[in-house]
Amino acid sequence: MKALIIDDSSSMRMLLGRILDDLGVQHAQAGDGREALQVLENDGPFDFALVDWQMPVMDGLEFVRAVREHLPREAIQLVMVTSVNQIESIVEALGAGADEYIMKPFTKDALQEKLALLGIELGP
Amino acid sequence: MPLNRIEFDYLRNLVRERSAIVLDDSKEYLVEMRLMSLARLEGYDSVDELSRNLRGKPYGALHAQVVDAMTTNETSFFRDLHPFETFKRELVPEILKRNEASRTINIWCAACSSGQEPYTLAMLLHDGFPQLRSGWRVNLLGGDLSQEMLRRARQGLFSQLEVNRGLPAPLLVKYFQKDGASWQVKEEVRAMIQFHELNLAGAWPHLPSMDFVFLRNVLIYFDIEMKRQILRKVRGVLKPDGLLFLGGAETTLNIDESWERVQSGKTVYYRIRRDA
């Protein structure tokens, strides 16, 4: 299992990385959407990506749209992991092609449960 | 940077003193994740720095916010997921055929806490079986011992941390509305559930004969004799072909031999033996 963590906060990338380490998931990181597209191209395929919304250069929503435009839907599952917590925003992200949506802050259990909804069963 | 050990110990002692809730080592992420936002909001660079600041001061509003952030109920929607998938895929279609004459389905969540389980079932039925909304009667009951839990369950108000737990995003946007910092289940789903006070260990009120009883993750709190009594009483409220769901770590085996264990994929449920 391999995941891509996309967040402009290095402390959040580290925290998510530690959670994925605990769940036995290999991972790579990117600091914005454009860098993430490069990582996808160079180091892919990835089973899923955890995508922050508000990032410089290319934000999470633009990244989701770009991935869905250029790759087949089954290529990667996309989970928005963001502080954006308005219903309209969640609807917008799902409409753009995100598979799931987690609002920060969240727990390791919450991440595991959301991934299980996508058929990704990790950990004990 | 992982949370400094001294700060983690300080924070969990704070929570334990104020709420009696014990945070073991596995909760370090939870502490860090929940407090990271609060730390930033309060102008600290890290949770460590927030904690160091709290340590030097008498208990105040910020300490209380920290405790609040740490003690949110830990249950989730769609808990364990697969029982609900089996319920939707196999058991509801079966009951629709079996109860075609009465056009009534009776479901009881016997220890429903703040309501995530009955709300999960209500959303699943509303979303997946629109035919139930015309000409069918679905009695969905949620019992709990705690008045406070029942009050919360009736309101259908959940924190952001709670709606993050196990709830598919499409159902969140379909069945909830934001109410300040909280999320409230919409009236059409709240109206599907009747909540009632119930002490499992005491006398039970009169209940309709149930097609499904959910008694998950509660027997573990009782000794074997009380487990036996409760399982006997469940037999009294289940229809002869009704089904019982227990938690993943619970069983009727060696407690009450009147039950037959049925496995479907990962899901285990129980029905009353024909010869019982």
Side-chain angles (χ1 to χ4, degrees):
Chain A
M1 191 64 64
K2 199 169 151 194
L4 177 56
I5 298 165
I6 312 165
D7 200 303
D8 60 330
S9 154
S10 59
S11 53
M12 185 53 72
R13 289 200 303 273
M14 278 179 67
L15 181 57
L16 288 169
R18 278 165 40 218
I19 292 176
L20 292 181
D21 285 341
D22 264 14
L23 295 173
V25 179
Q26 289 181 42
H27 51 88
Q29 300 185 359
D32 63 63
R34 188 174 299 168
E35 188 188 342
L37 289 174
Q38 282 168 0
V39 177
L40 264 187
E41 196 173 322
N42 298 335
D43 304 331
F46 291 87
D47 298 284
F48 64 93
L50 305 178
V51 188
D52 186 22
W53 190 312
Q54 290 156 324
M55 294 182 289
V57 188
M58 178 189 267
D59 72 21
L61 193 65
E62 292 171 302
F63 170 79
V64 168
R65 288 204 176 106
V67 169
R68 292 304 182 220
E69 198 178 317
H70 297 296
L71 292 175
R73 181 86 196 197
E74 62 276 13
I76 185 168
Q77 306 214 68
L78 302 175
V79 181
M80 295 297 287
V81 181
T82 166
S83 324
V84 178
N85 62 2
Q86 299 305 313
I87 288 184
E88 304 74 38
S89 307
I90 302 173
V91 170
E92 191 178 10
L94 295 174
D99 296 291
E100 258 303 336
Y101 199 103
I102 304 182
M103 292 173 280
K104 294 175 185 170
F106 63 95
T107 61
K108 177 180 158 189
D109 290 338
L111 179 63
Q112 262 182 288
E113 287 156 2
K114 287 285 190 174
L115 291 171
L117 291 172
L118 303 179
I120 301 168
E121 301 226 11
L122 301 170
Chain B
M1 200 77 119
L3 196 57
N4 179 307
R5 188 76 208 175
I6 294 169
E7 303 308 336
F8 178 56
D9 285 342
Y10 165 73
L11 292 166
R12 65 175 167 180
N13 280 336
L14 179 69
V15 169
R16 188 173 189 168
E17 277 170 19
R18 295 284 160 174
S19 72
I21 288 174
V22 179
L23 300 169
D24 63 28
D25 286 346
S26 72
K27 296 290 193 296
E28 188 183 336
Y29 292 125
L30 179 136
V31 171
E32 192 175 358
M33 183 71 79
R34 288 189 181 178
L35 294 187
M36 200 183 269
S37 303
L38 182 62
R40 285 193 186 144
L41 205 66
E42 295 293 324
Y44 298 101
D45 284 339
S46 66
V47 177
D48 280 345
E49 199 188 320
L50 167 72
S51 173
R52 273 195 300 276
N53 178 276
L54 289 173
R55 273 201 285 145
K57 291 181 179 164
Y59 190 85
L62 191 53
H63 296 77
Q65 281 187 65
V66 167
V67 173
D68 266 4
M70 297 289 89
T71 52
T72 307
N73 197 323
E74 282 298 299
T75 190
S76 61
F77 292 92
F78 288 85
R79 185 169 179 179
D80 302 327
L81 189 58
H82 60 82
F84 299 100
E85 290 176 337
T86 303
F87 181 76
K88 181 178 179 180
R89 190 181 58 245
E90 295 175 18
L91 303 177
V92 177
E94 271 175 36
I95 206 78
L96 286 173
K97 282 186 213 151
R98 197 191 307 153
N99 292 6
E100 177 61 41
S102 67
R103 294 174 81 81
T104 301
I105 303 176
N106 296 329
I107 305 171
W108 185 36
C109 298
C112 72
S113 184
S114 40
Q116 279 88 339
E117 188 176 74
Y119 281 123
T120 294
L121 293 167
M123 286 186 282
L124 194 152
L125 292 170
H126 194 279
D127 186 54
F129 302 92
Q131 65 271 45
L132 288 174
R133 279 177 256 159
S134 51
W136 281 77
R137 182 181 180 81
V138 178
N139 295 309
L140 181 45
L141 305 182
D144 202 81
L145 177 65
S146 156
Q147 288 284 356
E148 172 58 18
M149 283 297 156
L150 288 168
R151 188 188 61 77
R152 290 192 48 204
R154 283 191 186 104
Q155 282 186 319
L157 265 180
F158 296 93
S159 71
Q160 185 168 296
L161 285 163
E162 289 172 317
V163 297
N164 254 342
R165 299 287 311 269
L167 182 61
L171 293 184
L172 174 67
V173 297
K174 185 170 180 182
Y175 291 121
F176 285 75
Q177 58 209 6
K178 272 202 91 171
D179 181 1
S182 301
W183 295 75
Q184 186 169 35
V185 182
K186 287 184 180 170
E187 172 61 24
E188 61 187 317
V189 173
R190 271 187 290 143
M192 291 173 69
I193 307 169
Q194 293 163 275
F195 291 99
H196 66 102
E197 191 177 349
L198 177 90
N199 180 357
L200 283 169
W204 291 9
H206 175 74
L207 294 161
S209 290
M210 294 293 164
D211 296 291
F212 301 100
V213 172
F214 289 79
L215 184 68
R216 303 174 68 224
N217 307 297
V218 61
L219 285 183
I220 44 175
Y221 297 109
F222 296 108
D223 65 25
I224 188 157
E225 186 45 43
M226 187 52 72
K227 285 180 179 144
R228 192 171 284 133
Q229 283 183 35
I230 292 170
L231 285 170
R232 189 167 58 231
K233 287 196 276 190
V234 173
R235 276 191 277 136
V237 301
L238 260 187
K239 288 181 184 173
D241 48 9
L243 303 179
L244 167 67
F245 285 81
L246 298 176
E250 297 165 329
T251 177
T252 59
L253 199 68
N254 298 326
I255 301 170
D256 180 349
E257 301 311 322
S258 313
W259 297 91
E260 178 187 357
R261 182 181 187 275
V262 183
Q263 179 141 15
S264 172
K266 284 186 181 176
T267 304
V268 171
Y269 52 86
Y270 298 84
R271 61 183 164 219
I272 303 165
R273 283 185 196 283
R274 298 283 177 219
D275 53 5

